[in-house]
């Protein structure tokens, strides 16, 4: 796919920030409009993250226009909003490849561009990284500037406030831009606030401010009064008191779609020393009416016609997230003590219906995974039945809480772990590769891995009824189409199911690669066991198979190191069995983006890959 740059006369003049900075400032508005049109045309023809980038066009242009990137460091939080940044930093023609195998990374990625100063993908890391870079910049002494851009959603995470608390105390030169796309303060944005921002960042105000502090530095009571007066005067017209209390010089809110106003404000702020925060108000989906009305729906999109709404998905097999959401509603109808918790992933985790039907039992804790888990522990301690719906890669962020606050006390919290295994286009920051490995070593924890949709429902019920911590991990997308039984039955803990009897090879499957295992077992005439449980492991089936099977093959869509196959290896060694063992799973590397099918094939965990690895192991 190529886009005709003749339709973008000003955009075509600047393929990188150096060229952008040569444009006269009066061209920036047209440049921004063309950049937004290019982004719309590009993503609608190729797919990708969408609404967030539309909202940061002018902010991106202003930042690269004022700051000497990449010498000056620009750190994006999460990175959904960084598509305009990628277009402006030499990757315009490669945008159609974003999120595709071998194409542009879905988020800022330093190996891809020197303008991507820090690898991101998970929320709320930008301020901490920026502070580290600011310390290095001060030590370097070359007047390098450091800017972090963080969204209002990401600002809800504790890590962001930990960094703000430290940053205000350190008093280093760093600018934090709070990109606020909530509508609740839109009335505060306009000419008055833009004028105020220019005033508060101007040389006159800051010379008076700093000079007054020096003059009164030896008169503590007057100094204290002056500081309070400044705070209260600003507090009457700007909602920045909390940031000022943390030690940041607060400016804003200003209109994030007024590119010239932002350029003027940023130029002033570039001269100010110490920790600064600029509050910018933007609109997700800006410039595309459908995305403005429904930014959640247009967060990440397939190919679509910009002149029509997004096409509705054809009825098909339900996703695992939908299976979880349906189970949650069915279970809540039976159990008024069920409490469902999500760290800001209601739609992704399939909880929309539950949130509407059971609002008193639903808790969105914002982007606060650590709090989500300990909050669940508090609920469980008081005899409620919490269910934490969380992505595999986000559970990493709450590891201590899982160990210390849940497992140590053996509290009955159920973890519904979505996006386990290969997730596809979101790439290495979101692959659910590590959960089995980091969960398996925790005492008191039951770990279940469904092989199909119905098994997932029954395992959720099983975990909910257990009087101890339990996890059910399942992948992104749908399964093979197994009918889901409406009734719910608790499974016997640690009991597998034998799917096929074969000869000298036994394939032990852990999870939803089961359809691939079935094909491979047929081709190899192998016994196939769906293990169901990683912990406790069904050691009885291993005992019964070891005498007449020369080779055990373990299959999982998680890391081989420390994974389910390692549990089998430990048991074989413990019993001093002489059977050979081949572990098939994810290698010791970060898995890049691509469709699930593409990555299964590349990693050799599809049917053909399993068969080939077994034959190679046997020397065939």
């Amino acid at each position: 796919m190529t886009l005709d740059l003749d339709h973008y006369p000003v955009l075509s003049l600047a393929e990188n920030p150096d060229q952008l900075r040569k444009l006269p400032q009066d061209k920036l508005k047209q440049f921004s409009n063309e950049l937004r049109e290019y982004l719309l045309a590009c993503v609608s023809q190729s797919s990708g993250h969408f609404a967030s980038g539309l909202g940061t066009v002018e902010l991106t242009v202003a930042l690269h226009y004022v700051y000497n990137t990449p010498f000056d460091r620009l750190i994006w939080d999460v990175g959904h909003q960084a598509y305009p940044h990628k277009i402006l930093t030499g990757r315009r023609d490669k945008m159609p490849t974003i999120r595709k195998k071998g194409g542009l990374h879905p988020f800022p990625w330093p190996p891809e561009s020197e303008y991507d100063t820090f690898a991101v993908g998970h929320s709320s890391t930008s301020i901490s990284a920026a502070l580290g870079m600011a310390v290095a910049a001060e030590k370097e002494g070359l007047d390098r500037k450091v800017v972090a851009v963080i969204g209002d959603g990401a600002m809800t995470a504790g890590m962001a406030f930990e960094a703000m608390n430290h940053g205000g105390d350190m008093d280093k030169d760093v600018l934090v831009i709070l990109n606020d796309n909530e509508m609740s303060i839109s009335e505060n944005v306009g000419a008055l606030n833009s004028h105020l921002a220019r005033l508060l960042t101007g040389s006159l105000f800051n010379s008076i401010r700093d000079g007054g502090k020096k003059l009164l530095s030896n008169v503590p009571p007057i100094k204290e009064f002056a500081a309070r007066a400044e705070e209260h005067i600003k507090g009457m017209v700007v909602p920045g008191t909390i940031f000022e209390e943390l030690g940041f010089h607060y400016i804003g809110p200003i209109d994030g779609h007024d590119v010239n106003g932002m350029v003027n404000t940023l130029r002033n702020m570039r001269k100010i020393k110490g920790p600064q925060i600029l509050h910018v108000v933007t609109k997700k989906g800006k410039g595309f009416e459908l995305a403005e009305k429904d930014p959640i729906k247009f967060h990440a999109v397939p190919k679509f016609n910009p002149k029509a709404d997004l096409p509705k998905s054809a009825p098909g097999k339900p996703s695992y997230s939908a299976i979880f959401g349906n189970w949650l509603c069915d279970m809540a109808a039976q159990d008024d003590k069920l409490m469902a918790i999500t760290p800001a992933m209601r739609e992704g985790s399939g909880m929309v219906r539950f949130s509407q039907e059971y609002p008193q039992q639903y808790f969105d804790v914002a982007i606060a995974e650590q709090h989500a888990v300990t909050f669940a522990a508090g609920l469980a301690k008081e005899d409620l039945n919490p269910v934490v719906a969380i992505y595999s890669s986000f559970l990493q962020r709450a590891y201590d809480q899982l160990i210390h606050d849940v497992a140590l006390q053996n509290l009955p919290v159920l973890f519904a772990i979505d996006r386990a295994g290969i997730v596809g286009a979101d790439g290495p920051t979101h692959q659910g590769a590590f959960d089995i490995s980091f969960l398996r070593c925790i005492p008191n924890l039951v770990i279940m891995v469904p092989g199909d949709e119905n098994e997932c429902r029954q395992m959720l019920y099983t975990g909910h009824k257990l009087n101890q911590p339990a996890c059910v991990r399942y992948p992104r997308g749908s399964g093979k189409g197994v009918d889901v039984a409406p009734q719910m039955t608790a499974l016997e803990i640690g009991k597998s199911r034998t799917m096929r009897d074969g000869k000298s090879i036994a394939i032990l499957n852990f999870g939803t690669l089961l359809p691939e295992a079935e094909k491979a077992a047929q081709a190899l005439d192998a016994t196939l066991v769906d293990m169901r449980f990683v912990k406790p492991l069904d050691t009885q089936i291993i005992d019964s198979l070891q005498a007449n099977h020369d080779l055990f093959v373990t299959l999982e869509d998680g890391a081989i190191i420390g994974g389910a196959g390692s549990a089998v290896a430990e048991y074989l060694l413990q019993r001093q069995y002489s059977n050979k063992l081949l572990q098939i799973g994810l290698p010791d590397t970060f898995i890049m983006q691509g469709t699930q099918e593409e990555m299964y094939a590349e990693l050799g965990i599809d049917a053909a890959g399993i068969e080939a690895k077994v034959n190679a192991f046997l020397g065939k």
Side-chain angles (χ1 to χ4, degrees), residues 8 20 29 35 43 61 110 165 175 263 319 329 341 363 369-370 415 419 453 464 490 492 520 552 592 620:
Y8 310 98
L20 172 68
K29 184 175 181 179
L35 175 56
V43 177
V61 171
N165 183 56
L175 170 61
V263 165
S319 69
C329 291
I341 303 158
F363 300 92
E369 294 87 357
Q370 293 174 309
F415 293 89
R419 269 59 168 186
E453 298 93 320
H464 186 65
E492 182 181 348
F552 283 109
M592 299 301 289
K620 294 181 181 180

Side-chain angles (χ1 to χ4, degrees), residues 254-275:
I254 68 169
D255 183 356
H257 299 299
D258 175 8
V259 66
N260 286 301
M262 279 195 296
V263 165
N264 295 334
T265 298
L266 288 171
R267 277 180 175 153
N268 284 336
M269 296 196 79
R270 200 178 188 281
K271 305 169 188 174
I272 301 174
K273 297 294 185 180

Side-chain angles (χ1 to χ4, degrees), residues 95-133:
M95 285 302 294
T97 72
I98 198 164
R99 291 165 57 88
K100 294 179 172 58
K101 188 173 183 291
L104 288 181
H105 194 281
F107 304 106
W109 187 242
E112 182 179 284
S113 171
E114 63 179 337
Y115 291 93
D116 295 355
T117 58
F118 197 76
V120 295
H122 287 185
S123 162
S124 316
T125 62
S126 59
I127 304 176
S128 298
L131 289 174
M133 293 179 181

Side-chain angles (χ1 to χ4, degrees), residues 422-455:
I422 298 297
V423 298
D426 280 339
T429 58
H430 286 63
Q431 308 286 17
F434 309 115
D435 54 88
I436 292 178
S437 299
F438 69 66
L439 292 171
R440 195 171 67 80
C441 59
I442 301 174
N444 295 333
L445 198 61
V446 172
I447 307 170
M448 292 173 272
V449 285
D452 59 46
E453 298 93 320
N454 185 56
E455 287 282 294

Side-chain angles (χ1 to χ4, degrees), residues 332-401:
Q334 301 179 20
D335 179 9
D336 62 3
K337 289 187 174 183
L338 184 151
M339 301 289 157
I341 303 158
T342 175
M345 296 305 297
R346 181 183 72 156
E347 288 76 17
S349 293
M351 301 174 74
V352 173
R353 179 184 150 210
F354 180 86
S355 69
Q356 295 167 346
E357 295 183 8
Y358 298 94
Q360 300 305 313
Q361 294 169 252
Y362 168 76
F363 300 92
D364 185 338
V365 301
I367 302 176
E369 294 87 357
Q370 293 174 309
H371 165 62
V373 174
T374 303
F375 173 59
L379 292 170
K381 193 71 177 174
E382 296 301 325
D383 200 33
L384 296 174
N385 299 324
V387 179
V388 178
I390 192 166
Y391 287 9
S392 171
S393 66
F394 298 159
L395 183 57
Q396 297 162 188
R397 297 163 69 95
Y399 192 49
D400 178 65
Q401 287 68 30

